[in-house]
C-alpha cells in the first residue's frame, strides 16, 4: 500500500522540484552553486517520501579544499535523491548529453552549469574534458562524477571510466571518493522504513606530480579503496536494518 502511495508522490515531487530548479537556473544561469541548491530541492523531500534513513560520515567531503574531483559509486536513478543530500558548494557534475532531452530536468541540469558529454562523439568529448580541466584549474570549482559511468543496481562496484581520472591528473587536483552502501539491495518502498543509506567520504587521493602514465595505478587505488569501503558500509547498514 505504501508503495502505491509513494510512487505517485515521488513523481509529483520530481515535477515540482524540476520546476523550482528551472526557476533557480533562469534567475541565476550557470551560477556555480546552482547544482547544490537543485540537488537539495530534489533530495530532502524525496528521502522523507521514501522513508529512507541516511547516516552521514562525510567529514572529508565537508572539509575538502576546492578544486577536486568527487568520485561516487552509481547505484540507481535514486542516486539523485541519495547523493543530492551531500553535494558541496561550487560543485558541478558530469553527465550524458542525452540528459538534456528529459523535460524540465534536462534544461535545469544545463542551466545549473553541469557538463554534458556526448560519449559517442570523441571530438566533442575531448573538448568538454579540456573545458572541465580548465574550470578545475582556474574557477575554484569541483566536479562530481559517477566514476562507473553506469548504474550497478546493487551488484557491486563496477569498472571505472577513465575520464574523471584524466581530468584530475591534467588539472593536478585530488580525487575525493564518496561511497554509498548498496542500498538498492534492501530498499523496500512498501515498508514504513524504506531502507538505510550510509554515505562516507574517504580522504583525498593526491594527483600532484602524476602524469597520464600513472592513470591505471590511480584508478586501481581509488577502486580498491572504494570497494573496501562499500563492503564495510554494507555490513554497517545490515546491522542498522
Amino acid at each position: 500500500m505504501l508503495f502505491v502511495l509513494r510512487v505517485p508522490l515521488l513523481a509529483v515531487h520530481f515535477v515540482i522540484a524540476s520546476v523550482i530548479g528551472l526557476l533557480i537556473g533562469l534567475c541565476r544561469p550557470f551560477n556555480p552553486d546552482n547544482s547544490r541548491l537543485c540537488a537539495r530541492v530534489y533530495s530532502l523531500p524525496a528521502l522523507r517520501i521514501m522513508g529512507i534513513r541516511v547516516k552521514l560520515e562525510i567529514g572529508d567531503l565537508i572539509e575538502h579544499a576546492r578544486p577536486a574531483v568527487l568520485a561516487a559509486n552509481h547505484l540507481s536513478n535514486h542516486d539523485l535523491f541519495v547523493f543530492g543530500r551531500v553535494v558541496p558548494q561550487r560543485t558541478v557534475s558530469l553527465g550524458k548529453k542525452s540528459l538534456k532531452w528529459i523535460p524540465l530536468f534536462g534544461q535545469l541540469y544545463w542551466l545549473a552549469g553541469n557538463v554534458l558529454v556526448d560519449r559517442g562523439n570523441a571530438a566533442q568529448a575531448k573538448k568538454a574534458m579540456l573545458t572541465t580541466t580548465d574550470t578545475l584549474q582556474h574557477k575554484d570549482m569541483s566536479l562530481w562524477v559517477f566514476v562507473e559511468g553506469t548504474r550497478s543496481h546493487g551488484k557491486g562496484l563496477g569498472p571505472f571510466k577513465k575520464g574523471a581520472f584524466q581530468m584530475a591528473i591534467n588539472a593536478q587536483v585530488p580525487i575525493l571518493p564518496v561511497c554509498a552502501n548498496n542500498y538498492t539491495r534492501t530498499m523496500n518502498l512498501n515498508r514504513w522504513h524504506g531502507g538505510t543509506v550510509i554515505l562516507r567520504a574517504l580522504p583525498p587521493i593526491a594527483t600532484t606530480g602524476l602524469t597520464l602514465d600513472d592513470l591505471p595505478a590511480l584508478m586501481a587505488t581509488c577502486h580498491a579503496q572504494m570497494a573496501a569501503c562499500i563492503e564495510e558500509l554494507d555490513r554497517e547498514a545490515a546491522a542498522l536494518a
Side-chain angles (χ1 to χ4, degrees):
M1 182 64 181
L2 281 173
F3 179 85
V4 174
L5 293 173
R6 279 172 167 157
V7 171
L9 276 175
L10 279 173
V12 171
H13 163 63
F14 187 85
V15 172
I16 294 172
S18 297
V19 171
I20 294 171
L22 188 57
L23 290 174
I24 291 172
L26 289 171
C27 290
R28 34 186 265 171
F30 310 114
N31 185 293
D33 207 30
N34 281 357
S35 290
R36 179 182 67 88
L37 293 176
C38 292
R40 296 296 194 278
V41 170
Y42 279 111
S43 174
L44 298 178
L47 292 173
R48 295 293 298 272
I49 292 170
M50 296 163 66
I52 299 293
R53 297 174 186 168
V54 181
K55 181 182 178 184
L56 300 180
E57 301 173 4
I58 56 169
D60 285 295
L61 181 62
I62 295 171
E63 297 166 6
H64 92 284
R66 292 187 302 267
V69 172
L70 312 180
N73 57 317
H74 195 8
L75 290 132
S76 75
N77 288 334
H78 293 114
D79 287 348
L80 171 63
F81 306 138
V82 170
F83 286 103
R85 175 76 172 74
V86 297
V87 174
Q89 292 182 333
R90 298 184 67 84
T91 298
V92 296
S93 66
L94 194 65
K96 296 181 293 185
K97 192 174 182 180
S98 58
L99 288 175
K100 74 177 184 179
W101 301 114
I102 300 176
L104 296 177
F105 177 81
Q107 293 73 57
L108 83 86
Y109 190 83
W110 173 65
L111 285 169
N114 296 297
V115 182
L116 292 165
V117 178
D118 184 357
R119 294 175 182 167
N121 187 319
Q124 287 189 12
K126 184 177 181 180
K127 182 179 178 181
M129 185 178 296
L130 291 172
T131 300
T132 305
T133 299
D134 179 70
T135 297
L136 287 168
Q137 288 177 318
H138 304 297
K139 296 185 179 178
D140 187 33
M141 293 168 62
S142 292
L143 178 69
W144 185 291
V145 183
F146 288 109
V147 282
E148 296 156 281
T150 187
R151 296 175 292 276
S152 69
H153 299 292
K155 296 177 181 178
L157 190 66
F160 289 170
K161 301 291 185 181
K162 295 180 180 179
F165 300 91
Q166 289 175 327
M167 286 183 284
I169 290 175
N170 289 337
Q172 295 287 280
V173 301
I175 300 282
L176 200 160
V178 184
C179 303
N181 62 299
N182 287 290
Y183 65 87
T184 55
R185 294 177 182 175
T186 55
M187 186 174 69
N188 186 345
L189 298 186
N190 212 30
R191 297 182 307 192
W192 187 255
H193 169 40
T196 297
V197 175
I198 307 175
L199 296 178
R200 178 179 296 167
L202 301 179
I205 303 171
T207 65
T208 304
L210 299 186
T211 69
L212 292 180
D213 291 336
D214 300 301
L215 181 65
L218 176 64
M219 293 175 65
T221 297
C222 186
H223 194 283
Q225 290 186 11
M226 290 181 67
C229 177
I230 291 166
E231 287 184 11
E232 185 176 341
L233 294 180
D234 284 343
R235 291 192 293 271
E236 290 185 17
L240 293 172

